[in-house]
Amino acid sequence: MAGREDGNRQRETQAGPGPAWAEELLEHLRPAGRDVRRVVGWLSGAVRGSVALQDAAGNLMAGTRLPLDEGLVTDITAGRIASAAWESRERHVRLVRVEHPSHTCVLAVSRETPFDRRAADVVTHTAQVIELLLAARESTAAGHRLRRATSDLRLAILQLLMVEDTIAARRVAAGLWPGLLDAETACVYVVESDPALRDRIAEECLASTREDALVVRCPAMDGHVIVVSLRDTTDEALRSLVGRHPDIFLGGSVRQSLARTATAYGQAVSALAVAHFRLDKTAVYAERTHPERLMDPEVLRGWTARVLRPLDTLPHHTRAELLATTRLGLEFTAVNAAKVLGVSRNTVRARMDRVEALLGTDFADLTVRAVVHLALNTQIGLSDAQFTDDTANAAPRLSDLLSGPAVRTWAKDLLGRLDQDARNPRRTLRTWIAAGGNAERAAQALGMHAQTVREHVRSAEPVLERQLLAAGTDLYEVVLAHLAVGDLDLPVLHRHD
């Protein structure tokens, strides 16, 4: 704060020869010194007086508040005069208009001695410097607001894709990024960095993709940047980015339809976990044999239609909202699903509770979650018409899906990998799944420590090549394998199975 009257210690700089004070004033235009308050403080010392910078409403922006003639201030801020001066026995005051991008301000200087030519020049030139600083600050603030608005818009587009509303996503994107979503399929990538570096990494992702991809700061994970790209060149660009930074990792999905963006995102997160163990710090989701590909497609479609039929009585938009939210809620925690969707976690839980009630089941049961997850992922590829055709009349059951020879062979081979371990992690895993993924309850049933249960489950992950401790597709496939070989009982969904 400036001024001699407030008792604060001031740096007192004499307004000496022109070049000296001018050079000092110009120093305040350097990037490291652009601070209006510092300029006002400097002016106070340079003219040995008190200085106030205030707006038209009388709000003090910098310096020390001074008693000013309101009429003169109004004339200056209204543009009727550019400057004014008056004096009394004790004080000499000068007022100068300072143009501001959004409103005019007044720079007032009060001192005990009259203003000589040098002091007047210092005040005039200081007002010009303040104008430049205020304009720069306004421009910087506007830039920040624009970047924030653009970032929020990208997140909104991602959230629309996550709930399969590709039409709305394209409509929103078309205004600022024409052609961004002009294809039917895309890959999703997740770039992981230190949270403190994420903004810089996000900007580099935009630059690397030439803004030809949807780049979003993940709302759920502070260190993640999500990239949705329809172009084949993005993979190479992001790998090059990872190569330039020592501590970032990249996970990518296989190509999916835009409606399956949430599925692709889950794949990218799964691949990211693998990337941490790769020398090049990158990984793409491995296209392995998925159980649904081994099932009779007609039976699978008919079963899916029957499982989700209780939701068919809902309005279309409500049904789509519940299905999309439940799909994400089964892949991730309710908290992270809420952040991705831009809603509260209570909203996510309320929607999932409603689906539970309609299906007459309980998502606390991992076998239920795995089976509903299978139905929801199958539903993505089906049109509404396919849900009302005659395939549902065959009354296919879950047991029909899982009893096929191809599915049973796949399940036996997958779980058989665990049989070589003398600790019997297969029994531990089966018990842990039956306990809803609760290590304490599984430990009580097995008569061992909960930490031992977790270690057995964790040790099974590299053997099965799937993440188990985090809910999602990997875990649900292992659950389906247990159901197929009969190691776990089939769940009941509204009395269909």
Side-chain angles (χ1 to χ4, degrees):
M1 301 293 289
R4 299 169 58 195
E5 296 176 347
D6 61 4
N8 292 336
R9 180 175 299 173
Q10 281 294 326
R11 171 189 171 213
E12 297 194 359
T13 304
Q14 290 287 349
W21 65 260
E23 288 177 8
E24 289 184 13
L25 181 57
L26 290 174
E27 284 292 322
H28 290 283
L29 290 175
R30 294 183 182 275
R34 294 175 183 173
D35 187 329
V36 171
R37 289 182 175 85
R38 288 180 59 187
V39 173
V40 169
W42 173 87
L43 176 60
S44 175
V47 299
R48 290 182 172 271
S50 298
V51 182
L53 178 67
Q54 68 178 53
D55 60 20
N59 299 311
L60 186 67
M61 301 173 63
T64 305
R65 184 170 294 281
L66 299 174
L68 302 176
D69 185 290
E70 293 184 5
L72 282 177
V73 171
T74 300
D75 287 341
I76 290 175
T77 56
R80 288 188 284 270
I81 58 176
S83 63
W86 82 82
E87 61 184 59
S88 66
R89 290 182 179 179
E90 295 83 14
R91 308 300 298 174
H92 298 263
V93 180
R94 291 184 71 90
L95 289 82
V96 181
R97 185 170 67 229
V98 175
E99 297 293 341
H100 187 276
S102 57
H103 56 274
T104 301
C105 304
V106 174
L107 178 66
V109 181
S110 173
R111 61 185 229 157
E112 296 176 353
T113 57
F115 285 84
D116 55 18
R117 177 64 178 273
R118 211 167 337 184
D121 285 346
V122 173
V123 173
T124 300
H125 285 84
T126 301
Q128 295 170 352
V129 168
I130 292 175
E131 283 184 1
L132 293 173
L133 294 180
L134 290 177
R137 187 168 69 180
E138 187 78 7
S139 176
T140 300
H144 285 316
R145 288 194 296 271
L146 178 59
R147 286 191 290 273
R148 178 61 184 269
T150 304
S151 178
D152 289 345
L153 188 58
R154 290 193 182 99
L155 175 58
I157 295 170
L158 175 66
Q159 289 169 340
L160 289 169
L161 292 175
M162 286 290 194
V163 296
E164 304 166 36
D165 196 345
T166 56
I167 295 176
R170 286 191 173 108
R171 188 180 300 122
V172 173
L176 287 178
W177 303 286
L180 182 67
L181 302 178
D182 62 356
E184 295 300 323
T185 62
C187 290
V188 175
Y189 301 88
V190 177
V191 183
E192 181 182 20
S193 68
D194 185 287
L197 301 176
R198 185 172 70 164
D199 286 348
R200 191 180 80 184
I201 296 301
E203 292 300 321
E204 290 197 37
C205 286
L206 283 169
S208 297
T209 60
R210 298 180 181 179
E211 296 199 21
D212 206 18
L214 183 64
V215 178
V216 180
R217 292 163 177 81
C218 178
M221 303 297 292
D222 290 341
H224 287 187
V225 175
I226 302 170
V227 180
V228 181
S229 176
L230 285 65
R231 318 289 179 241
D232 293 331
T233 55
T234 301
D235 183 86
E236 182 179 351
L238 293 179
R239 286 177 182 271
S240 175
L241 173 66
V242 172
R244 297 195 300 270
H245 294 274
D247 298 318
I248 67 174
F249 302 88
L250 174 68
S253 74
V254 296
R255 188 163 286 276
Q256 299 279 3
S257 68
L258 281 181
R260 300 197 67 172
T261 298
T263 299
Y265 171 58
Q267 291 181 350
V269 172
S270 179
L272 184 63
V274 177
H276 281 267
F277 302 99
R278 296 279 182 86
L279 289 177
D280 62 356
K281 302 175 296 177
T282 67
V284 174
Y285 185 75
E287 267 290 37
R288 56 189 179 232
T289 301
H290 298 289
E292 62 268 24
R293 297 184 180 179
L294 304 174
M295 300 173 183
D296 184 310
E298 289 298 320
V299 175
L300 179 58
R301 285 196 293 267
W303 172 81
T304 297
R306 292 183 71 243
V307 167
L308 300 180
R309 181 169 293 166
L311 283 76
D312 291 347
T313 59
L314 301 172
H316 179 77
H317 72 279
T318 302
R319 178 177 178 274
E321 183 179 72
L322 291 179
L323 290 175
T325 301
T326 301
R327 187 177 299 113
L328 279 176
L330 293 177
E331 281 285 352
F332 310 104
T333 66
V335 172
N336 285 348
K339 290 179 180 178
V340 170
L341 290 172
V343 298
S344 72
R345 61 183 178 182
N346 289 336
T347 298
V348 170
R349 287 169 179 151
R351 291 175 184 174
M352 294 184 69
D353 287 345
R354 188 174 181 186
V355 173
E356 275 185 315
L358 289 168
L359 298 184
T361 193
D362 181 5
F363 286 155
D365 187 332
L366 274 181
T367 61
V368 170
R369 294 173 72 91
V371 169
V372 173
H373 182 267
L374 172 63
L376 292 176
N377 280 342
T378 303
Q379 177 267 341
I380 294 177
L382 301 180
S383 66
D384 290 339
Q386 288 174 294
F387 273 84
T388 57
D389 64 15
D390 293 336
T391 59
N393 295 330
R397 296 180 177 274
L398 179 61
S399 56
D400 299 326
L401 293 176
L402 298 177
S403 61
V407 176
R408 289 181 60 82
T409 298
W410 164 81
K412 288 179 179 178
D413 290 345
L414 179 64
L415 299 180
R417 301 177 192 177
L418 300 173
D419 292 339
Q420 303 302 315
D421 194 325
R423 298 175 302 168
N424 200 358
R426 181 169 176 173
R427 181 189 64 168
T428 305
L429 181 58
R430 178 176 66 247
T431 307
W432 178 75
I433 291 172
N438 186 290
E440 284 72 19
R441 289 204 301 269
Q444 187 175 8
L446 293 168
M448 62 176 62
H449 196 278
Q451 185 58 33
T452 303
V453 172
R454 296 187 188 94
E455 290 174 358
H456 282 198
V457 174
R458 189 175 291 108
S459 68
E461 290 183 325
V463 178
L464 300 177
E465 298 179 327
R466 285 162 173 82
Q467 293 186 90
L468 302 176
L469 292 173
T473 301
D474 285 3
L475 173 59
Y476 300 142
E477 287 187 358
V478 173
V479 173
L480 291 177
H482 281 84
L483 295 175
V485 300
D487 282 359
L488 293 170
D489 294 332
L490 297 178
V492 176
L493 298 177
H494 51 81
R495 299 184 301 280
H496 282 175
D497 294 296

